Amino acid sequence: MLRRTIRATDIESPDKLIELLDRHAYLADEGLATAAFLALRMGRPLFLEGEAGVGKTELAKTLATLLRAPLIRLQCYEGLDAAQALYDWDFARQLLHLKAAEAAGITDVGRLEGEIYDRRFLIARPLLKAVETQPSVLLVDEIDRADDEFEAFLLEVLSDFTISIPELGTVRAETPPVVVVTSNRTREVHDALKRRCLYHWLEHPTFDREVAILLRRLPGCTETLATQVAHAAERLRQADLVKPPGVAETLDWTEALLTLGAKELDPGLAAATLGAALKYREDVSAVLSNGLLSHG
């Protein structure tokens, strides 16, 4: 039997959203669920800020899954501009069309110009895809890596979800996408963009929640191993590391241990698999030299 599509308006409370997210193995606390619920019901973008690996991107993916909507991801980076985020013309196909028209003896310039700027030659980038696709979840990932100019442009798009294409006209979203904007806070994002969104700071999970996440996401994990890995991750986050492990790294670490058949975390196995949790040589050296893996 086909599952009924869940719409944002079908989710009547933050508690109901927690339940729905849990069905897809995402364990949200009350604060995050309330922020996400309000964003869904009010039609506002959700701005999630926090350390890398705490579950910001994963929330957008899970929302797309439970809403049965495509996830459209705009990965931000330095130098990203409007053309790369909105649309581009497929120049190679346009050129082939012109050559075919020339071979067929078509010389009507007006007709040819109209044909090469047809919608079929337009390449939709993430923002245009999100406006054209209903329903959809738009993930603007790591907005702090983009330039100030792109931030201002994004604010304009998020205000009315309308995109003007000079050759074709205006494209307007009949139903605005669900929007999740994430930032690892490598720099401050302008207040104007934050004011357009509902804001939530996503913390590392509590010890008990991290144990629950490991057990929920990795069915083969024993409670002993989950408890020991969560304790180890907690110690690593309290140490002075370049990049402490987030939930994503804790999951990777536990999966690596399970792949090696581990039922519990011993110091030797922990050291051998540390590269799944830490990504800087300085951090690995500091942890091993200070004996942070030898505690129970």
Side-chain angles (χ1 to χ4, degrees):
M1 185 175 67
L2 291 175
R3 293 181 300 166
R4 183 175 67 88
T5 298
I6 297 175
R7 296 171 298 180
T9 52
D10 296 329
I11 305 172
E12 63 268 18
S13 68
D15 287 341
K16 181 62 176 178
L17 182 56
I18 288 175
E19 176 191 328
L20 291 171
L21 291 171
D22 180 70
R23 291 180 191 175
H24 297 281
Y26 189 97
L27 304 186
D29 61 23
E30 185 179 358
L32 176 59
T34 300
F37 168 76
L38 291 174
L40 289 171
R41 293 300 291 268
M42 296 168 65
R44 298 278 294 277
L46 176 61
F47 191 104
L48 293 178
E49 201 164 42
E51 300 291 336
V54 293
K56 303 184 295 296
T57 299
E58 194 63 29
L59 176 66
K61 293 179 179 178
T62 308
L63 286 174
T65 300
L66 73 87
L67 294 172
R68 301 184 73 184
L71 176 73
I72 300 171
R73 181 173 184 167
L74 174 60
Q75 181 62 53
C76 297
Y77 53 87
E78 187 177 352
L80 176 65
D81 61 26
Q84 294 162 316
L86 277 177
Y87 65 87
D88 205 352
W89 289 102
D90 191 335
F91 298 116
R93 287 189 63 206
Q94 286 175 319
L95 183 59
L96 285 173
H97 182 76
L98 289 175
K99 287 183 177 296
E102 182 182 7
I106 300 173
T107 58
D108 185 335
V109 176
R111 173 185 167 182
L112 289 174
E113 185 175 348
E115 288 179 350
I116 64 170
Y117 287 109
D118 185 78
R119 179 63 181 83
R120 62 189 162 135
F121 295 117
L122 191 72
I123 302 172
R125 302 300 186 195
L127 292 181
L128 179 57
K129 281 184 184 177
V131 168
E132 290 185 321
T133 307
Q134 285 90 37
S136 66
V137 174
L138 172 63
L139 168 62
V140 183
D141 215 8
E142 299 183 326
I143 185 62
D144 52 318
R145 295 187 182 277
D147 302 322
D148 292 351
E149 294 79 6
F150 182 77
E151 229 181 276
F153 159 74
L154 180 64
L155 177 63
E156 183 180 344
V157 174
L158 295 183
S159 296
D160 55 12
F161 295 102
T162 298
I163 293 173
S164 177
I165 304 173
E167 299 86 353
L168 296 177
T170 299
V171 181
R172 181 175 287 103
E174 294 180 15
T175 303
V178 173
V179 181
V180 177
V181 183
T182 76
S183 168
N184 295 335
R185 209 172 189 179
T186 58
R187 68 168 177 86
E188 286 295 335
V189 175
H190 289 186
D191 288 343
L193 181 59
K194 286 187 175 181
R195 284 198 301 270
R196 178 69 185 84
C197 308
L198 295 180
Y199 176 85
H200 185 76
W201 174 268
L202 201 54
E203 299 276 3
H204 287 292
T206 62
F207 170 76
D208 289 339
R209 183 170 294 277
E210 188 150 29
V211 171
I213 290 171
L214 293 174
L215 293 174
R216 186 76 170 82
R217 297 295 294 269
L218 301 169
C221 184
T222 65
E223 189 163 351
T224 297
L225 181 60
T227 300
Q228 291 174 336
V229 171
H231 270 306
E234 199 171 54
R235 289 197 300 275
L236 295 179
R237 288 172 193 148
Q238 292 168 356
D240 186 22
L241 301 180
V242 176
K243 171 59 179 70
V247 180
E249 286 76 28
T250 307
L251 284 164
D252 286 345
W253 195 12
T254 308
E255 186 175 2
L257 291 163
L258 289 171
T259 301
L260 294 174
K263 300 297 182 184
E264 58 183 33
L265 186 69
D266 66 73
L269 203 53
T273 55
L274 194 55
L278 301 179
K279 309 301 179 181
Y280 287 86
R281 180 178 61 83
E282 297 89 341
D283 287 346
V284 173
S285 298
V287 168
L288 295 178
S289 61
N290 292 323
L292 292 177
L293 298 177
S294 60
H295 302 287

